[in-house]
Amino acid sequence: MLAMKSRLHSESLRTAAPVHQPRHRLWSALVLLTGLLGAGAALAAVEGAKVGQPAPGFEMTDTKGQPRSLAEMKGKVVVLEWANFECPYTRKHYDSGNMQALQREAAEAGAEWLVVISSAPGEEGHVSAEEANRLIAERDGAPAAVLLDEEGTLGRLYGAKTTPHMYVVDKDGVLAYMGGIDSIASARVEDVSAAEPWFGDALRAVLKGEEPARAVTRPYGCSVKYAR
């Protein structure tokens, strides 16, 4: 190896070029391949939650200090609602009372409703546990629990993109619905009553042990404010 280095060093630039050029091309190819593999891994992470497949498991502590595990909730329908109380789209469904009504409907049917806040520290919508509990109480909300996902681990695991973004897991732990709360992508309270209640219809179907007519729909709202 030392002899090879010495020989290359002593050769002219014209002679050395063919030696280094393939090496440069090989390095470029490796960089390109690494980028493609990285992009594929990121895409796989976003697509980790798939309707018809077991919902990604998680274990977290809620804002009241209680442990929450998807595995322990098996046998119950589970709702995941991504929220940001500074987002006008989240406020739309709380100001209208729509979200709270759905939360109560789910609770009365024995479902577990978890509000997930994935806003990172310093980003819009980030709150402490105490602030989250206060915001829910002020809005007369009725979820089973609130989960703070500051690092965005749970949000990325499920591919949550917007607030709100809604998910329904059936009693067998299979993801049955993911997508928008309704069909009108606006922040206007008056549009709630005019919209098709995609999520509400899906939730009611799953509570009956049926498959939703629409299992995947387009979510709308503010982007989830993940850590950068």
Side-chain angles (χ1 to χ4, degrees):
M1 178 62 75
L2 291 175
M4 177 65 74
K5 289 182 178 179
S6 176
R7 181 174 61 82
L8 291 175
H9 181 71
S10 63
E11 289 179 348
S12 67
L13 291 176
R14 183 184 60 80
T15 306
V19 176
H20 292 293
Q21 191 172 355
R23 186 176 299 175
H24 175 72
R25 285 201 295 266
L26 177 60
W27 175 252
S28 299
L30 286 172
V31 170
L32 177 60
L33 178 60
T34 301
L36 291 173
L37 290 173
L43 182 60
V46 169
E47 296 181 346
K50 295 181 183 296
V51 165
Q53 299 295 321
F58 59 86
E59 295 181 3
M60 298 181 70
T61 301
D62 67 24
T63 53
K64 295 183 178 178
Q66 298 300 311
R68 299 285 174 174
S69 165
L70 185 62
E72 291 179 356
M73 289 183 277
K74 193 169 184 178
K76 295 183 177 181
V77 171
V78 177
V79 174
L80 299 176
E81 169 210 341
W82 260 263
N84 169 356
F85 289 104
E86 293 184 42
C87 170
Y89 297 92
T90 294
R91 292 202 305 267
K92 163 189 175 180
H93 290 283
Y94 277 91
D95 290 348
S96 65
N98 183 46
M99 196 71 80
Q100 300 93 315
L102 288 165
Q103 290 168 350
R104 286 185 167 78
E105 181 179 348
E108 289 170 3
E112 294 280 341
W113 186 300
L114 306 178
V115 173
V116 184
I117 301 176
S118 292
S119 295
E123 297 292 336
E124 178 192 85
H126 177 264
V127 290
S128 66
E130 294 75 15
E131 289 170 328
N133 294 336
R134 176 180 58 78
L135 288 167
I136 291 292
E138 287 177 353
R139 287 156 178 75
D140 197 27
V146 180
L147 303 178
L148 297 185
D149 178 40
E150 292 185 336
E151 295 181 357
T153 304
L154 185 56
R156 291 188 174 98
L157 184 64
Y158 274 78
K161 298 179 176 65
T162 62
T163 50
H165 198 157
M166 311 300 296
Y167 297 77
V168 182
V169 181
D170 70 16
K171 293 181 179 180
D172 295 322
V174 174
L175 186 62
Y177 176 82
M178 60 188 294
I181 189 168
D182 64 26
S183 63
I184 299 181
S186 81
R188 296 186 297 270
V189 169
E190 57 269 25
D191 287 335
V192 172
S193 60
E196 292 181 60
W198 290 342
F199 163 74
D201 287 347
L203 174 61
R204 294 176 193 111
V206 176
L207 288 170
K208 293 177 183 177
E210 301 171 356
E211 293 185 3
R214 294 184 181 88
V216 180
T217 63
R218 178 179 58 85
Y220 70 86
C222 304
S223 62
V224 178
K225 302 302 186 287
Y226 290 117
R228 300 179 184 179

